[in-house]
Amino acid sequence: YHTRDYIAGIRALSERGPVRGPLLLPWGEVDEDTVLSPGSYEAALYAAGGAMNAVSAMMEGGVRNAYALLRPPCHHATSNQAFGFCIFNNTVLAAQHARKVYGLERIMIVDWDVHHGNGTQYAFYADAGVLFVSLHQQNWYPKLAGELEQVGSGAGVGSTVNIPLPAGTGDRGYRAAFEQLVVPIGQQFRPQLILVTAGQDASWLDPMAHMMMTMRGYRQIAQLMVELAEEMCDGRLAVLQAGGYSAAYVPYCTAAVVEALLGIDLGIVDLYATSSELERCQTVLGAETLDALRGAREWHRQWWKL
């Protein structure tokens, strides 16, 4: 997916580091948010390799599903641009690995990171063999990315499904989005593999967004993905770590996702279990969220039965 010149350029910049953009170079770009240091290239290789190894472990029968705990994250990186903390696009590389090595023809990517996965969308925008579904805070980051009207091009029209959600959506709103859009579209697409770009930055304590998800909410949407994978593709589900910037709360949300993958309850008590704010995040379902879901369903009915 990434150009050879881009890979060589990132390696050379990392060896010089620390380097902060914005940089516009003959082989590509590095934006102002993506800092490169002497360890960045090696870390990015391990992250990309971890995503591909997760796919291999499932396809070769070693595991039923997988959680790949990766850094740096991935979904803003394009073929020749490091963008939004992302160097290599681990999700795109995992999908391409599944196609080239294992011959898969239908791959579903669900991106629940609170920021839009513009790099992943760009990679498969004209590709009917990859269904890209993104749930993200509307009008947030990157600018003008993830609008309903961005549905793919050419043979890929309809295979890009954006679900922009308003601030304050909360657990019930996210669950409704999965039940009303993500799951039925996935059932119609019938993927042979599901990849999740898992940013736990929609949590109510994240400093970079305002979406009010809780540990319980992440467990619920992960369980829906497990059930979809069991129904459609023999349980093959690889969850790839992406964003998440609340050092205190991201581990709880991530543990909840892993619990769903394993089908167990580790007995972890939410860090804020007694707070009224947590209860509100788990129960709110506002008019703005309902309007956004209604609008998304009506729009995507052009390509899917919803």
Side-chain angles (χ1 to χ4, degrees), residues 14-185:
S14 298
E15 291 172 350
R16 280 173 42 195
V19 177
R20 178 186 290 273
L23 297 173
L24 180 58
L25 300 160
W27 48 263
E29 300 179 48
V30 179
D31 81 335
E32 65 274 13
D33 293 325
T34 309
V35 181
L36 300 175
S37 69
S40 295
Y41 178 73
E42 185 178 17
L45 287 183
Y46 275 115
M52 290 187 281
N53 284 341
V55 170
S56 292
M58 288 186 299
M59 297 306 301
E60 295 174 15
V63 298
R64 190 164 185 81
N65 55 41
Y67 194 105
L69 191 60
L70 312 173
R71 272 296 184 270
C74 68
H75 68 160
H76 298 308
T78 65
S79 61
N80 67 341
Q81 183 181 32
F83 189 80
F85 313 148
C86 305
I87 298 174
F88 299 139
N89 197 315
N90 310 321
T91 303
V92 172
L93 296 174
Q96 298 288 41
H97 179 66
R99 293 172 122 180
K100 291 189 176 183
V101 177
Y102 301 102
L104 299 190
E105 297 177 349
R106 297 184 312 282
I107 298 170
M108 180 180 189
I109 297 172
V110 177
D111 188 331
W112 71 46
D113 190 289
V114 79
H115 306 103
H116 181 252
N118 61 294
T120 310
Q121 174 176 290
Y122 175 78
F124 300 115
Y125 205 60
D127 192 331
V130 176
L131 171 65
F132 174 68
V133 182
S134 178
L135 305 96
H136 47 274
Q137 183 170 335
Q138 64 186 15
N139 300 323
W140 202 234
Y141 182 88
K143 187 177 181 180
L144 301 179
E147 300 296 328
L148 275 178
E149 295 77 13
Q150 297 170 9
V151 297
S153 63
V157 169
S159 295
T160 291
V161 178
N162 282 303
I163 309 171
L165 297 168
T169 289
D171 289 357
R172 289 184 64 194
Y174 266 88
R175 184 178 180 90
F178 274 78
E179 291 175 340
Q180 297 175 17
L181 289 147
V182 180
V183 171
I185 289 173

